[in-house]
């Protein structure tokens, strides 16, 4: 067996890969990041981290780094019930954080490099061979290099081919909704508040997230049965007019708004791998579990993965054991994220006679007492999630 030059090789150089690479390189591990993009650009991806994910950023030591380079704090959130102060009302006592996704990726990758990780860009991974000493097949300039490692961390995002190369099977719970996003300028809205509002009658969701340099990300969730697809710049007016039907305040927000990036729709639903470690390969971030973007949990989960994997690798000399322990922990917190967001869909967005009946029971009680709504999205997967929480939310008790 060839001795590997690297303790850890990451497939991908997004948030998840750079966060674990920085954490482990900073502890003396030999780390290599392989990223296919020479330069990051807007892919219509997340930029809002909820307070529980901000707590993970703090644990990983990247909170100040993000704030200093690309991120702004959003202490307020409006879910259609009026402004809520997240610092005062979450167990973490933290704000949300928002940034341009490509700027965040550049900042984290530079931080991983500064911590000692080697970064190779423009390198597309083409395969992984699992085993006691896993091997990454890295392609660049028409050549394929075999790179052995002690551990391969596959963090190649939603649709990850690495899952297949490493022999994992994928579970899916797709929902009949699409989620469109576009970057805007000229929006007339607060700079310190994220807005996330469902219109249960229409099955739609409008969201607006300020970024720190005056830009805003507008999102619009809609049923797959709609007779349109929000894809391409010519659909911007339609995104504005449909958002205004969610709640009139979106019409005010977008009165003078202009597009500053691509407009794209993605599928709603969760895709995940159960027990996502095997034979020297650990999945991380969206590759491990792509959570429904409508609920903005993806980056919090990604940072949680990086922190849990870091802790396991530092605590165990046997990294095979560490990988299995990481996978077990992930299954538990991802399951809770999944369950709580499925409940949200059933109460706030599903379009069916059963859902209408559900809402008749639940919504009047929620209007009287907002604590009936589970707070996992902001406060994290450790919040209670038992039958009594469900009954209160669904208005069955
Ligand atoms: C429309 C939309 C909105 C979202 N909004 C939010 C939000 O508001 N809040 C939130 O928390 N989450 C949100 N998310 C989810 C969030 O974007 C992801 O959870 C997060 O980006 C996952 O990070 P990652 O590092 O796992 O993957 P990615 O960010 O996808 O990074 C993967 C990296 O791997 C590279 N790569 C892929 N294949 C290879 C290969 N073969 N070789 C080398 N490199 C490779 C890619 O170029 C990329 O840089 C949203 C997602 C979508 C689609």
């Amino acid at each position: 067996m060839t001795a590997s030059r690297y303790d850890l090789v990451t497939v991908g150089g997004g948030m998840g890969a750079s966060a674990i690479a920085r954490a482990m390189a900073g502890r003396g591990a030999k780390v290599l990041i392989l990223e296919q993009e020479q330069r990051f650009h807007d892919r219509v991806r997340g930029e809002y981290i909820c307070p529980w994910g901000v707590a993970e950023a703090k644990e990983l030591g990247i909170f100040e780094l993000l704030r200093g380079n690309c991120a702004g704090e959003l202490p307020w959130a409006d879910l259609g019930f009026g402004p809520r102060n997240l610092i005062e009302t979450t167990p973490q006592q933290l704000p949300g954080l928002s940034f341009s996704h490509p700027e965040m990726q550049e900042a984290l990758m530079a931080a991983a490099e500064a911590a000692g990780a080697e970064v190779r860009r423009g390198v597309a991974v083409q395969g992984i061979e699992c085993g006691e000493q896993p091997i990454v097949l890295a392609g660049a300039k028409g050549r394929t290099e075999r790179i052995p490692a002690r551990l391969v961390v596959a963090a190649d995002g939603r649709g990850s081919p690495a899952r297949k190369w490493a022999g994992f099977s994928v579970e899916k719970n797709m929902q009949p909704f699409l989620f469109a996003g576009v970057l805007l300028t000229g929006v007339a809205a607060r700079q310190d508040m994220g807005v996330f509002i469902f219109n249960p009658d229409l099955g739609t969701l409008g969201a607006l997230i300020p970024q720190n340099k005056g830009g805003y990300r507008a999102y619009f969730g809609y049923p797959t049965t709609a007779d349109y697809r929000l894809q391409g710049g010519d659909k911007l007016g339609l995104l504005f007019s449909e958002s205004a039907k969610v709640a009139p305040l979106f019409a005010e927000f977008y009165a003078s708004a202009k597009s500053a990036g691509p407009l794209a729709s993605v599928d709603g639903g969760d895709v995940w791998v159960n027990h996502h470690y095997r034979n020297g390969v650990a999945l991380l971030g969206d590759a491990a579990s792509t959570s429904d973007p409508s609920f903005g949990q993806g980056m919090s989960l990604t940072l949680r993965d990086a922190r849990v994997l870091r802790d396991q690798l530092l605590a165990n000399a046997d990294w095979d054991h560490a990988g299995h322990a990481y996978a077990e922990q992930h299954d538990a917190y991802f399951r809770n994220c999944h369950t709580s967001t499925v409940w949200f869909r059933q109460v706030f967005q599903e379009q069916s006679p059963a859902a209408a009946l559900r809402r008749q029971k639940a919504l009047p009680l929620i209007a009287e007492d907002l604590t009936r709504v589970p707070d996992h999205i902001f406060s994290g997967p450790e919040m209670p999630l038992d039958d009594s929480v469900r009954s209160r939310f669904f208005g069955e008790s």
Side-chain angles (χ1 to χ4, degrees), residues 41-45 47 102 180-185 211 215-218 230-236 239-240 257-265:
H41 52 93
D42 184 14
R43 292 174 295 155
V44 190
R45 283 290 187 275
E47 54 284 298
V182 64
L183 197 59
L184 300 176
T185 54
Q211 298 189 345
Y216 287 78
R217 176 75 75 187
L230 296 173
Q231 195 77 30
D234 59 327
K235 295 293 191 316
L236 187 67
L239 182 139
F240 289 163
K258 301 221 165 0
S259 155
L263 165 55
S265 288

Side-chain angles (χ1 to χ4, degrees), residues 33-44:
I33 295 178
L34 298 172
E35 167 57 50
Q36 65 190 3
E37 301 290 341
Q38 292 282 11
R39 213 179 117 253
F40 294 120
H41 52 93
D42 184 14
R43 292 174 295 155
V44 190

